[in-house]
Amino acid sequence: MNFLSLLIGDGNLRVQLKERRTRLYRVAYSWCHDRSLADDLVQEALTRGLARLHQLRDPAQLDSWLFKILHNCWRDCFRCQKNFQDVDELEDHHYAHDETPEHIHSRSQIVDRVRAAVAQLPIGQRQVLTLIDLEGFSYNQVAEILEIPVGTVMSRLCRGRQSLKAKLIGLSPEAKTGTLRSVK
């Protein structure tokens, strides 16, 4: 049984790659905040991954292997762009829920604020935060993907979370309402 048939298993390789592409795109977009660049990074990562599929030793490590390739693509792109700047163009999300327009608008504002706060983080903190908190990778996997020590992963994550907390403290419902009392 060859490696490709192990990877495919009971499912279809196309479906598995499509699922991973979505996750890779979400992380790439959170790193660069540019749709076309994120799409290009994911395309390059998948192309490199497929070309080097024979180098993957453990099929269970496919996700972290692809994210490591994505990180290398990002690093290569970052090196090529001398004047790289984060793009603060945030898309509006339309929710298909049976909620009130006010609730939808409020949620959209919160999402925009969180994305803007994440975009303001230094790239190292942003990468660690998205890989651990959004994608659920372990500290060791992130250290391997980004090729940094585990201690650096932990400190970047801690500083990133503290920074986000400071920037987003006003979004908390408790912070907005304060203490309510009855007036007669």
Side-chain angles (χ1 to χ4, degrees):
M1 180 178 283
N2 69 18
F3 176 75
L4 190 56
S5 61
L6 281 174
L7 176 64
I8 294 172
D10 292 334
N12 183 345
L13 179 61
R14 181 178 295 194
V15 172
Q16 291 184 26
L17 287 179
K18 185 176 182 179
E19 177 185 310
R20 285 173 175 86
R21 180 173 175 41
T22 302
R23 291 179 64 207
L24 288 166
Y25 178 82
R26 183 173 52 229
V27 169
Y29 182 78
S30 73
W31 288 353
C32 68
H33 297 283
D34 182 331
R35 287 181 180 187
S36 4
L37 178 57
D39 197 42
D40 290 346
L41 289 170
V42 171
Q43 185 70 30
E44 181 64 22
L46 288 173
T47 302
R48 288 183 190 180
L50 285 173
R52 296 178 181 102
L53 198 55
H54 63 281
Q55 294 176 355
L56 180 61
R57 297 170 198 225
D58 182 7
Q61 297 297 318
L62 178 64
D63 286 339
S64 60
W65 185 69
L66 284 173
F67 277 92
K68 184 173 185 165
I69 293 172
L70 177 67
H71 169 69
N72 290 336
C73 292
W74 166 248
R75 190 171 36 188
D76 292 346
C77 176
F78 194 69
R79 286 179 186 151
C80 293
Q81 296 179 356
K82 304 284 188 230
N83 296 324
F84 182 84
Q85 295 177 337
D86 283 341
V87 178
D88 286 336
E89 293 180 19
L90 300 174
E91 61 184 274
D92 293 329
H93 288 278
H94 301 285
Y95 297 96
H97 297 242
D98 293 328
E99 299 172 332
T100 65
E102 292 82 12
H103 188 262
I104 293 171
H105 179 70
S106 175
R107 183 179 294 161
S108 177
Q109 284 183 328
I110 290 171
V111 168
D112 289 347
R113 288 181 188 167
V114 170
R115 284 190 176 160
V118 170
Q120 292 174 1
L121 293 175
I123 187 63
Q125 292 176 15
R126 192 179 330 146
Q127 287 178 316
V128 169
L129 192 81
T130 56
L131 288 172
I132 291 174
D133 289 341
L134 288 180
E135 294 302 321
F137 284 106
S138 70
Y139 292 1
N140 290 332
Q141 289 173 317
V142 172
E144 183 181 321
I145 290 169
L146 299 179
E147 297 174 344
I148 57 177
V150 174
T152 304
V153 169
M154 292 169 32
S155 67
R156 286 181 183 176
L157 181 63
C158 181
R159 284 183 276 137
R161 285 177 176 169
Q162 287 174 346
S163 180
L164 278 179
K165 181 180 177 183
K167 291 176 182 174
L168 300 175
I169 195 75
L171 293 180
S172 170
E174 296 82 27
K176 289 181 180 178
T177 59
T179 305
L180 296 177
R181 60 187 173 114
S182 177
V183 179
K184 294 185 180 182

